[in-house]
PDB file of all heavy atoms in Angstrom:
ATOM      1  N   GLY A 390      80.270  58.200 220.421  1.00 98.00           N
ATOM      2  CA  GLY A 390      81.063  57.594 219.358  1.00 98.00           C
ATOM      3  C   GLY A 390      82.252  56.871 219.875  1.00 98.00           C
ATOM      4  O   GLY A 390      82.661  55.804 219.533  1.00 98.00           O
ATOM      5  N   GLN A 391      82.921  57.519 220.798  1.00 97.00           N
ATOM      6  CA  GLN A 391      84.119  56.973 221.490  1.00 97.00           C
ATOM      7  C   GLN A 391      83.889  55.714 222.290  1.00 97.00           C
ATOM      8  O   GLN A 391      84.441  54.727 222.276  1.00 97.00           O
ATOM      9  CB  GLN A 391      84.745  58.120 222.433  1.00 97.00           C
ATOM     10  CG  GLN A 391      86.034  57.793 223.038  1.00 97.00           C
ATOM     11  CD  GLN A 391      87.227  57.886 222.141  1.00 97.00           C
ATOM     12  OE1 GLN A 391      87.286  58.735 221.173  1.00 97.00           O
ATOM     13  NE2 GLN A 391      88.263  57.150 222.378  1.00 97.00           N
ATOM     14  N   LYS A 392      82.712  55.798 223.053  1.00 97.00           N
ATOM     15  CA  LYS A 392      82.281  54.586 223.783  1.00 97.00           C
ATOM     16  C   LYS A 392      81.906  53.462 222.964  1.00 97.00           C
ATOM     17  O   LYS A 392      82.342  52.296 223.258  1.00 97.00           O
ATOM     18  CB  LYS A 392      81.088  54.957 224.688  1.00 97.00           C
ATOM     19  CG  LYS A 392      81.321  55.801 225.899  1.00 97.00           C
ATOM     20  CD  LYS A 392      80.017  55.938 226.738  1.00 97.00           C
ATOM     21  CE  LYS A 392      80.089  56.959 227.751  1.00 97.00           C
ATOM     22  NZ  LYS A 392      78.902  57.550 228.119  1.00 97.00           N
ATOM     23  N   VAL A 393      81.289  53.715 221.845  1.00 98.00           N
ATOM     24  CA  VAL A 393      80.902  52.665 220.874  1.00 98.00           C
ATOM     25  C   VAL A 393      82.033  52.052 220.392  1.00 98.00           C
ATOM     26  O   VAL A 393      82.340  50.722 220.304  1.00 98.00           O
ATOM     27  CB  VAL A 393      79.926  53.148 219.786  1.00 98.00           C
ATOM     28  CG1 VAL A 393      79.834  52.138 218.696  1.00 98.00           C
ATOM     29  CG2 VAL A 393      78.683  53.645 220.265  1.00 98.00           C
ATOM     30  N   ALA A 394      83.175  52.829 219.970  1.00 98.00           N
ATOM     31  CA  ALA A 394      84.334  52.298 219.374  1.00 98.00           C
ATOM     32  C   ALA A 394      85.093  51.414 220.350  1.00 98.00           C
ATOM     33  O   ALA A 394      85.545  50.318 220.013  1.00 98.00           O
ATOM     34  CB  ALA A 394      85.187  53.506 218.879  1.00 98.00           C
ATOM     35  N   LYS A 395      85.138  51.897 221.670  1.00 98.00           N
ATOM     36  CA  LYS A 395      85.901  51.087 222.596  1.00 98.00           C
ATOM     37  C   LYS A 395      85.259  49.690 222.787  1.00 98.00           C
ATOM     38  O   LYS A 395      85.878  48.774 222.856  1.00 98.00           O
ATOM     39  CB  LYS A 395      85.822  51.931 223.946  1.00 98.00           C
ATOM     40  CG  LYS A 395      86.635  51.274 225.117  1.00 98.00           C
ATOM     41  CD  LYS A 395      86.653  52.384 226.258  1.00 98.00           C
ATOM     42  CE  LYS A 395      87.463  51.753 227.387  1.00 98.00           C
ATOM     43  NZ  LYS A 395      87.305  50.498 227.826  1.00 98.00           N
ATOM     44  N   LYS A 396      83.949  49.752 222.914  1.00 98.00           N
ATOM     45  CA  LYS A 396      83.184  48.504 223.117  1.00 98.00           C
ATOM     46  C   LYS A 396      83.336  47.589 221.883  1.00 98.00           C
ATOM     47  O   LYS A 396      83.478  46.293 222.025  1.00 98.00           O
ATOM     48  CB  LYS A 396      81.755  48.663 223.451  1.00 98.00           C
ATOM     49  CG  LYS A 396      81.495  49.213 224.896  1.00 98.00           C
ATOM     50  CD  LYS A 396      80.133  49.184 225.334  1.00 98.00           C
ATOM     51  CE  LYS A 396      79.996  49.426 226.764  1.00 98.00           C
ATOM     52  NZ  LYS A 396      80.414  48.364 227.585  1.00 98.00           N
ATOM     53  N   MET A 397      83.268  48.222 220.636  1.00 98.00           N
ATOM     54  CA  MET A 397      83.537  47.308 219.507  1.00 98.00           C
ATOM     55  C   MET A 397      84.895  46.625 219.534  1.00 98.00           C
ATOM     56  O   MET A 397      84.981  45.447 219.292  1.00 98.00           O
ATOM     57  CB  MET A 397      83.389  48.263 218.300  1.00 98.00           C
ATOM     58  CG  MET A 397      82.097  48.977 218.002  1.00 98.00           C
ATOM     59  SD  MET A 397      80.822  47.952 217.301  1.00 98.00           S
ATOM     60  CE  MET A 397      81.232  47.755 215.603  1.00 98.00           C
ATOM     61  N   TRP A 398      85.866  47.426 219.846  1.00 98.00           N
ATOM     62  CA  TRP A 398      87.268  46.799 220.000  1.00 98.00           C
ATOM     63  C   TRP A 398      87.222  45.678 220.995  1.00 98.00           C
ATOM     64  O   TRP A 398      87.812  44.624 220.756  1.00 98.00           O
ATOM     65  CB  TRP A 398      88.334  47.953 220.349  1.00 98.00           C
ATOM     66  CG  TRP A 398      88.919  48.668 219.343  1.00 98.00           C
ATOM     67  CD1 TRP A 398      88.374  49.813 218.755  1.00 98.00           C
ATOM     68  CD2 TRP A 398      90.227  48.483 218.701  1.00 98.00           C
ATOM     69  NE1 TRP A 398      89.217  50.238 217.801  1.00 98.00           N
ATOM     70  CE2 TRP A 398      90.297  49.580 217.719  1.00 98.00           C
ATOM     71  CE3 TRP A 398      91.184  47.527 218.844  1.00 98.00           C
ATOM     72  CZ2 TRP A 398      91.433  49.709 216.891  1.00 98.00           C
ATOM     73  CZ3 TRP A 398      92.372  47.731 218.048  1.00 98.00           C
ATOM     74  CH2 TRP A 398      92.538  48.720 217.086  1.00 98.00           C
ATOM     75  N   GLU A 399      86.627  45.910 222.153  1.00 97.00           N
ATOM     76  CA  GLU A 399      86.589  44.958 223.205  1.00 97.00           C
ATOM     77  C   GLU A 399      85.948  43.615 222.732  1.00 97.00           C
ATOM     78  O   GLU A 399      86.193  42.561 223.216  1.00 97.00           O
ATOM     79  CB  GLU A 399      85.887  45.358 224.542  1.00 97.00           C
ATOM     80  CG  GLU A 399      86.692  46.372 225.232  1.00 97.00           C
ATOM     81  CD  GLU A 399      85.902  47.363 226.282  1.00 97.00           C
ATOM     82  OE1 GLU A 399      84.734  47.073 226.364  1.00 97.00           O
ATOM     83  OE2 GLU A 399      86.494  48.094 226.995  1.00 97.00           O
ATOM     84  N   LYS A 400      85.000  43.777 221.815  1.00 98.00           N
ATOM     85  CA  LYS A 400      84.356  42.582 221.227  1.00 98.00           C
ATOM     86  C   LYS A 400      84.869  42.209 219.845  1.00 98.00           C
ATOM     87  O   LYS A 400      84.322  41.322 219.211  1.00 98.00           O
ATOM     88  CB  LYS A 400      82.847  42.942 221.037  1.00 98.00           C
ATOM     89  CG  LYS A 400      82.063  43.135 222.386  1.00 98.00           C
ATOM     90  CD  LYS A 400      80.731  43.801 222.044  1.00 98.00           C
ATOM     91  CE  LYS A 400      79.846  44.047 223.300  1.00 98.00           C
ATOM     92  NZ  LYS A 400      79.486  42.773 224.040  1.00 98.00           N
ATOM     93  N   GLY A 401      86.183  42.656 219.626  1.00 98.00           N
ATOM     94  CA  GLY A 401      86.835  42.026 218.420  1.00 98.00           C
ATOM     95  C   GLY A 401      86.571  42.714 217.092  1.00 98.00           C
ATOM     96  O   GLY A 401      86.713  42.050 216.123  1.00 98.00           O
ATOM     97  N   VAL A 402      86.133  43.976 217.188  1.00 98.00           N
ATOM     98  CA  VAL A 402      85.886  44.750 215.824  1.00 98.00           C
ATOM     99  C   VAL A 402      86.701  46.020 215.953  1.00 98.00           C
ATOM    100  O   VAL A 402      86.371  46.817 216.806  1.00 98.00           O
ATOM    101  CB  VAL A 402      84.370  44.961 215.548  1.00 98.00           C
ATOM    102  CG1 VAL A 402      84.195  45.780 214.294  1.00 98.00           C
ATOM    103  CG2 VAL A 402      83.628  43.657 215.449  1.00 98.00           C
ATOM    104  N   SER A 403      87.613  46.355 215.101  1.00 98.00           N
ATOM    105  CA  SER A 403      88.413  47.493 215.112  1.00 98.00           C
ATOM    106  C   SER A 403      87.838  48.574 214.249  1.00 98.00           C
ATOM    107  O   SER A 403      87.582  48.362 213.049  1.00 98.00           O
ATOM    108  CB  SER A 403      89.844  47.235 214.878  1.00 98.00           C
ATOM    109  OG  SER A 403      90.045  46.919 213.463  1.00 98.00           O
ATOM    110  N   VAL A 404      87.526  49.652 214.877  1.00 98.00           N
ATOM    111  CA  VAL A 404      87.059  50.961 214.091  1.00 98.00           C
ATOM    112  C   VAL A 404      87.791  52.230 214.732  1.00 98.00           C
ATOM    113  O   VAL A 404      88.244  52.079 215.943  1.00 98.00           O
ATOM    114  CB  VAL A 404      85.482  51.166 214.235  1.00 98.00           C
ATOM    115  CG1 VAL A 404      84.776  50.108 213.483  1.00 98.00           C
ATOM    116  CG2 VAL A 404      85.145  51.224 215.697  1.00 98.00           C
ATOM    117  N   VAL A 405      87.966  53.141 213.922  1.00 97.00           N
ATOM    118  CA  VAL A 405      88.459  54.422 214.508  1.00 97.00           C
ATOM    119  C   VAL A 405      87.416  55.123 215.160  1.00 97.00           C
ATOM    120  O   VAL A 405      86.259  55.378 214.645  1.00 97.00           O
ATOM    121  CB  VAL A 405      89.005  55.331 213.286  1.00 97.00           C
ATOM    122  CG1 VAL A 405      89.493  56.708 213.795  1.00 97.00           C
ATOM    123  CG2 VAL A 405      90.125  54.753 212.533  1.00 97.00           C
ATOM    124  N   PRO A 406      87.633  55.558 216.421  1.00 97.00           N
ATOM    125  CA  PRO A 406      86.572  56.320 217.184  1.00 97.00           C
ATOM    126  C   PRO A 406      86.145  57.561 216.302  1.00 97.00           C
ATOM    127  O   PRO A 406      86.993  58.357 215.964  1.00 97.00           O
ATOM    128  CB  PRO A 406      87.163  56.743 218.414  1.00 97.00           C
ATOM    129  CG  PRO A 406      88.401  55.754 218.652  1.00 97.00           C
ATOM    130  CD  PRO A 406      88.828  55.379 217.227  1.00 97.00           C
ATOM    131  N   ASN A 407      84.910  57.629 216.102  1.00 97.00           N
ATOM    132  CA  ASN A 407      84.291  58.790 215.305  1.00 97.00           C
ATOM    133  C   ASN A 407      85.073  59.029 214.044  1.00 97.00           C
ATOM    134  O   ASN A 407      85.369  60.198 213.563  1.00 97.00           O
ATOM    135  CB  ASN A 407      84.444  60.131 216.139  1.00 97.00           C
ATOM    136  CG  ASN A 407      83.554  60.050 217.414  1.00 97.00           C
ATOM    137  OD1 ASN A 407      82.382  59.823 217.352  1.00 97.00           O
ATOM    138  ND2 ASN A 407      84.237  60.158 218.500  1.00 97.00           N
ATOM    139  N   GLY A 408      85.484  57.957 213.369  1.00 97.00           N
ATOM    140  CA  GLY A 408      86.264  58.025 212.186  1.00 97.00           C
ATOM    141  C   GLY A 408      85.665  57.176 211.036  1.00 97.00           C
ATOM    142  O   GLY A 408      84.603  56.564 211.173  1.00 97.00           O
ATOM    143  N   LYS A 409      86.327  57.141 209.977  1.00 98.00           N
ATOM    144  CA  LYS A 409      85.931  56.498 208.792  1.00 98.00           C
ATOM    145  C   LYS A 409      86.063  54.928 208.869  1.00 98.00           C
ATOM    146  O   LYS A 409      86.977  54.344 209.554  1.00 98.00           O
ATOM    147  CB  LYS A 409      86.703  56.807 207.632  1.00 98.00           C
ATOM    148  CG  LYS A 409      86.395  58.269 207.070  1.00 98.00           C
ATOM    149  CD  LYS A 409      87.255  58.337 205.738  1.00 98.00           C
ATOM    150  CE  LYS A 409      87.279  59.762 205.337  1.00 98.00           C
ATOM    151  NZ  LYS A 409      88.482  60.051 204.478  1.00 98.00           N
ATOM    152  N   ILE A 410      85.141  54.168 208.277  1.00 98.00           N
ATOM    153  CA  ILE A 410      85.191  52.810 208.016  1.00 98.00           C
ATOM    154  C   ILE A 410      85.569  52.484 206.638  1.00 98.00           C
ATOM    155  O   ILE A 410      84.950  53.194 205.637  1.00 98.00           O
ATOM    156  CB  ILE A 410      83.778  52.234 208.424  1.00 98.00           C
ATOM    157  CG1 ILE A 410      83.610  52.303 209.880  1.00 98.00           C
ATOM    158  CG2 ILE A 410      83.663  50.777 207.889  1.00 98.00           C
ATOM    159  CD1 ILE A 410      82.193  51.868 210.344  1.00 98.00           C
TER     160      ILE A 410
END
Side-chain angles (χ1 to χ4, degrees):
Q391 185 76 28
K392 280 187 195 155
V393 169
K395 182 171 188 308
K396 286 193 171 283
M397 300 279 287
W398 274 82
E399 285 166 359
K400 290 170 183 286
V402 175
S403 67
V404 290
V405 176
N407 299 302
K409 282 186 197 162
I410 287 172

